[in-house]
Amino acid sequence: MPSLRAEDVTRIDQALQSWRQGDVVFDDSVFFLHLADLMTPLTTEAQETAKTRLDSGEGVAVEGVASVVPGVVVVTQTCDIVRSCDVRPYVEVSPLIQVRQDFLSEVRRLQRPAFAHLPAVATQGLVADLDRTMTVEKAVVATWERTPGWNTDAESRAFAEALSRKRARFAFPNDFVAAARGLQDHIKRRHNRHNSEGAHLRSLREIRVRAAPSWDHPTVSLFLWFVKETDPLGFEPEWHAYSDKWTDRLDTTGRFTVDGAIACWLGEMTAQDYVESDRLDLDQLSSHDSHR
């Protein structure tokens, strides 16, 4: 069995010194692996593999299934990428997937925590699918051609924030998810309409909600911030009217009441308001939205 030689370590380490979190790989030889039970295949790839095994007379079992993807993005932190391969031999990658433009816009605004926006591939309609991660040895990465996924510190921070939010986002109580369903459905229906309300929804940076005295209290008072990224393009700003309209979509027949809502710029929120509130993501309200 070949052993790891000092010159191989040096070669691999040198090759990875320029790599960064968020770098992208487009290569015909790159595929994505996940483990599947072929007795109960959940994905198209697993179902196709299971059929192949059955057609050939082979047994079906737990197996690694390969998916063809447009490319992959490195999600390992930069400090670990550049550490020597004899200490940290692995790099984690997530696949790039094709999405609709409206979905891509939601990803860019961090409204879809299962995905991450990358400026370098956004023009191609691609985003990172953070629900899937594959481990690759650095010797393999050293053979790949690196494409930077971002160009500025702000873009780098935005990608790192998206990765962080995937693991650290707040878990809303189930009854609040049900109470917010009307708001979520309304946003989905109106977001892409070419009218004043659609323009206002597309101008939002995020929606934040605070629960008082706490989310697990028998009665909960809610306050919402509709945080603006811009004013609506081509329409007069009517933020007060729309923030009231959207808030009315919350079901307050249970333990939740609405104490108020406001549309504002991020700089108009106090630090206390921000840390005491939680971001309302579309993915947290529905798990059935298609991105294709």
Side-chain angles (χ1 to χ4, degrees):
M1 179 181 296
S3 59
L4 184 62
R5 299 175 301 176
E7 54 265 37
D8 291 328
V9 172
T10 300
R11 173 181 56 82
I12 294 167
D13 289 350
Q14 288 178 347
L16 268 75
Q17 286 308 296
S18 61
W19 284 75
R20 299 290 182 266
Q21 184 182 68
D23 283 347
V24 172
V25 179
F26 297 105
D27 192 305
D28 291 340
S29 67
V30 174
F31 54 90
F32 203 86
L33 283 174
H34 74 274
L35 203 60
D37 183 351
L38 299 186
M39 291 295 293
T40 52
L42 302 180
T43 64
T44 300
E45 293 84 1
Q47 290 161 8
E48 292 174 349
T49 302
K51 184 177 185 303
T52 299
R53 297 289 179 269
L54 289 171
D55 289 346
S56 64
E58 300 178 49
V60 291
V62 174
E63 184 177 324
V65 175
S67 304
V68 177
V69 295
V72 296
V73 57
V74 175
V75 297
T76 299
Q77 288 187 315
T78 300
C79 59
D80 290 326
I81 297 172
V82 299
R83 290 186 67 182
S84 180
C85 65
D86 63 348
V87 177
R88 291 291 179 92
Y90 304 117
V91 167
E92 292 177 313
V93 299
S94 287
L96 299 175
I97 61 169
Q98 195 87 37
V99 298
R100 304 185 315 265
Q101 281 300 121
D102 59 322
F103 196 95
L104 191 148
S105 178
E106 293 169 359
V107 172
R108 182 179 63 82
R109 289 185 169 91
L110 298 181
Q111 294 173 339
R112 298 285 183 176
F115 305 88
H117 178 266
L118 279 165
V121 298
T123 56
Q124 302 172 52
L126 298 173
V127 298
D129 180 359
L130 302 182
D131 268 348
R132 295 187 284 167
T133 303
M134 179 174 71
T135 302
V136 182
E137 290 197 3
K138 287 182 176 179
V140 176
V141 180
T143 68
W144 288 346
E145 181 179 350
R146 167 183 174 261
T147 298
W150 49 267
N151 296 306
T152 67
D153 288 345
E155 291 172 351
S156 172
R157 283 193 293 270
F159 183 69
E161 182 181 0
L163 296 180
S164 174
R165 285 185 53 71
K166 164 66 176 172
R167 304 299 178 192
R169 57 182 166 153
F170 179 73
F172 288 101
N174 289 336
D175 57 345
F176 174 75
V177 173
R181 185 73 67 206
L183 172 61
Q184 184 257 352
D185 289 342
H186 184 81
I187 290 174
K188 285 174 57 181
R189 289 194 305 268
R190 303 301 180 92
H191 186 273
N192 293 320
R193 293 193 179 181
H194 299 292
N195 58 18
S196 176
E197 185 175 15
H200 279 75
L201 285 170
R202 290 190 296 274
S203 298
L204 286 175
R205 181 186 189 273
E206 61 183 293
I207 303 172
R208 300 192 68 85
V209 57
R210 180 178 64 202
S214 68
W215 282 107
D216 57 1
H217 198 268
T219 58
V220 181
S221 178
L222 304 174
F223 192 94
L224 287 86
W225 288 265
F226 295 94
V227 184
K228 300 179 285 185
E229 185 171 56
T230 64
D231 274 323
L233 183 64
F235 295 91
E236 287 295 318
E238 300 180 76
W239 288 108
H240 179 73
Y242 283 119
S243 60
D244 287 346
K245 178 179 181 178
W246 297 330
T247 306
D248 287 342
R249 296 286 173 173
L250 291 169
D251 183 355
T252 56
T253 58
R255 66 188 180 105
F256 300 104
T257 60
V258 177
D259 186 45
I262 188 173
C264 64
W265 302 101
L266 183 61
E268 294 174 330
M269 291 186 71
T270 67
Q272 182 172 353
D273 288 338
Y274 197 87
V275 299
E276 289 183 352
S277 60
D278 301 294
R279 187 171 190 148
L280 194 60
D281 296 307
L282 297 181
D283 276 351
Q284 289 171 293
L285 299 181
S286 175
S287 59
H288 304 292
D289 294 336
S290 172
H291 56 261
R292 301 188 185 278

